[in-house]
Amino acid sequence: MSLKPNKYNCSPMASLGSLSSLFLSNSHSFHHPNPNPRFLLPPPRTQTLNFSANSERKDKLSDSPLPEKKSLAVATGELFLGIASRLIKIRNSNVDSVSVPVTMFWDTENSDREAYFSRQSDGIASFVEESVDPEVVWEQRLKDVEAERERKKVTSPGFSFSAAGLLFPYHLGVAQFLIEKGYLKETTPLAGSSAGAIVCAVIASGSSMQEALKATKILAEDCRLKGTAFRLGAVLRDVLDKFLPDDVHARSNGRVRVAVTQILWRPRGLLVDQFDSKEDLINAVITSSFIPGYLAPRPATMFRNRLCIDGGLTLFMPPTSAAQTVRVCAFPASQLGLQGIGISPDCNPDNRASPRELFNWALEPGEDYVLDRLFELGYLDAAVWADQNPVEEIVEDDCKVNGS
């Protein structure tokens, strides 16, 4: 069993190495070579946003200075991201250091490599190494393989949505454009970490992106009034339970990959793409979003009998099951040191919030007008990308899915 080389994007496994510098340094940009000649990365371009502003302070996202005093939510998030960036910096600086493998989620408790092949009776169907990044390793249980094989038609490219905290209106705006223009179909594979995983579930559910934005505003208002840290997980679960349809798990099986990080005995990425119920899917996306001490007052959460935290720690933008994957990042990709990112604020570098504002809004929800602007910025950035990648040239049906 092998994986096809990804012509669209290079692997983002090392993407968090400069994550802390994104939020602590001044804005800057630099040119990245395009690793995929067939897939055109849009040059930086400015588009003007026309908003129906209710006050002058809404003319630009960065007009009002952020308060110097950090909230508990922001402090907790910065601590987690600092640890994450340090972990991956160490991993990238020493090729002989302990790697952070990524596997398809499975049920058995034995995680030794030798057991991957010998315990077929426990439901392990395959052991796959990623051709783009040899350190990425997937375990696929029988249910995972069956879920993907049951999808008789798969449309390429797939779309992977980054971890983004409370910036997921940006992802919703991107998705709105991709759906309108025919890039995203019911047969398009999806993958995501944290907020990106939530957006994937929303897309797969068939719900309107505008309705999802309204639900986001309900969550944001609750957090603004009652606080974010330690309680966001409970609020998010309630909103998802009310918003997502009862058959969302069936719509997501074999199509949506959710990244989570198992922390014992060392951080290990897990990809989940088979869900037994709506509750199981919600548990998966909340686990994927679990920043320790932020979503709830505990250091980790249990998911399918495993101690896990935010999937962005090991897979910032996970691969989809399609032959090609377009990656969508809610933060300026150039300042994360990422190459080959299809859609990000770099598409409109002169018309975006500052990195510090984006980080603050990722951990503490902005006002409704900010959420509306993030949605529209995502839409416009996707439009810039689409100008260089016409739908009739890149969207095609795959004979088989990635890894099958």
Side-chain angles (χ1 to χ4, degrees):
M1 185 173 296
S2 62
L3 298 178
K4 299 177 183 178
N6 190 326
K7 295 182 287 184
Y8 287 90
N9 305 102
C10 64
S11 173
M13 279 291 291
S15 64
L16 294 182
S18 59
L19 190 57
S20 58
S21 66
L22 166 66
F23 307 118
L24 301 178
S25 62
N26 293 328
S27 177
H28 65 281
S29 61
F30 49 89
H31 175 70
H32 288 297
N34 183 3
N36 307 299
R38 176 189 167 189
F39 179 70
L40 298 179
L41 302 180
R45 189 178 96 184
T46 301
Q47 290 190 1
T48 302
L49 283 174
N50 294 317
F51 294 101
S52 54
N54 294 324
S55 65
E56 292 183 357
R57 73 188 181 100
K58 300 180 185 180
D59 290 341
K60 290 182 68 178
L61 284 175
S62 57
D63 278 348
S64 55
L66 297 175
E68 292 295 328
K69 186 177 180 180
K70 296 178 183 177
S71 69
L72 179 60
V74 172
T76 302
E78 285 186 343
L79 176 62
F80 175 77
L81 291 176
I83 294 172
S85 64
R86 183 169 181 79
L87 173 66
I88 298 183
K89 276 182 180 179
I90 293 173
R91 172 179 175 269
N92 293 339
S93 63
N94 185 358
V95 294
D96 295 325
S97 65
V98 176
S99 64
V100 182
V102 180
T103 69
M104 292 301 296
F105 197 97
W106 56 295
D107 289 330
T108 63
E109 295 300 322
N110 190 339
S111 61
D112 294 333
R113 175 169 293 200
E114 292 77 14
Y116 291 171
F117 300 100
S118 63
R119 294 179 62 110
Q120 293 294 325
S121 60
D122 286 331
I124 307 307
S126 65
F127 172 76
V128 184
E129 291 189 357
E130 169 69 80
S131 59
V132 176
D133 186 341
E135 291 187 357
V136 177
V137 179
W138 300 350
E139 273 169 34
Q140 288 189 300
R141 60 180 184 172
L142 290 171
K143 286 185 177 180
D144 296 324
V145 174
E146 290 168 358
E148 290 188 353
R149 284 178 177 171
E150 285 176 2
R151 300 186 64 233
K152 298 189 171 44
K153 182 180 179 182
V154 175
T155 302
S156 186
F159 288 87
S160 176
F161 294 84
S162 73
L166 293 171
L167 294 178
F168 47 78
Y170 179 89
H171 283 333
L172 293 175
V174 171
Q176 177 71 37
F177 178 90
L178 296 176
I179 292 171
E180 284 182 5
K181 305 304 180 183
Y183 292 91
L184 260 179
K185 303 180 179 181
E186 291 184 359
T187 52
T188 302
L190 305 166
S193 288
S194 193
I198 296 173
V199 172
C200 289
V202 170
I203 296 170
S205 74
S207 302
S208 158
M209 297 303 108
Q210 291 289 348
E211 290 300 316
L213 180 60
K214 291 179 182 178
T216 302
K217 291 178 180 178
I218 293 173
L219 180 146
E221 182 180 17
D222 187 291
C223 291
R224 287 195 299 267
L225 294 175
K226 301 178 182 179
T228 303
F230 301 157
R231 59 183 303 274
L232 176 59
V235 180
L236 178 60
R237 181 180 296 275
D238 183 64
V239 170
L240 290 175
D241 186 60
K242 292 177 179 176
F243 180 78
L244 295 175
D246 291 339
D247 65 345
V248 63
H249 62 291
R251 295 169 181 251
S252 301
N253 280 342
R255 181 187 182 191
V256 173
R257 286 179 170 178
V258 176
V260 301
T261 299
Q262 178 183 332
I263 61 174
L264 292 179
W265 292 103
R266 59 179 173 134
R268 180 175 67 168
L270 302 173
L271 289 174
V272 187
D273 70 348
Q274 196 279 334
F275 311 95
D276 299 327
S277 64
K278 175 182 177 180
E279 181 182 9
D280 187 40
L281 173 67
I282 292 176
N283 287 340
V285 298
I286 288 181
T287 300
S288 182
S289 307
F290 197 92
I291 295 179
Y294 178 63
L295 257 69
R298 56 182 183 272
T301 188
M302 291 298 295
F303 177 65
R304 296 182 182 176
N305 298 318
R306 294 170 184 255
L307 200 59
C308 298
I309 57 175
D310 195 295
L313 180 67
T314 46
L315 267 183
F316 196 59
M317 282 172 284
T320 70
S321 60
Q324 313 297 339
T325 295
V326 175
R327 291 182 167 93
V328 182
C329 184
F331 298 104
S334 61
Q335 295 188 37
L336 283 178
L338 294 170
Q339 294 184 2
I341 301 304
I343 304 172
S344 81
D346 285 343
C347 294
N348 281 300
D350 296 328
N351 194 26
R352 69 183 185 209
S354 70
R356 170 55 68 178
E357 284 176 311
L358 288 174
F359 179 57
N360 190 70
W361 291 326
L363 296 172
E364 289 278 26
E367 299 291 336
D368 284 358
Y369 79 89
V370 173
L371 303 181
D372 287 334
R373 291 188 180 204
L374 289 171
F375 184 96
E376 195 147 353
L377 284 170
Y379 189 97
L380 291 178
D381 288 348
V384 173
W385 171 84
D387 284 347
Q388 303 295 319
N389 300 277
V391 64
E392 63 274 8
E393 293 183 10
I394 72 166
V395 175
E396 59 187 12
D397 292 334
D398 288 344
C399 294
K400 7 183 202 182
V401 297
N402 197 10
S404 61

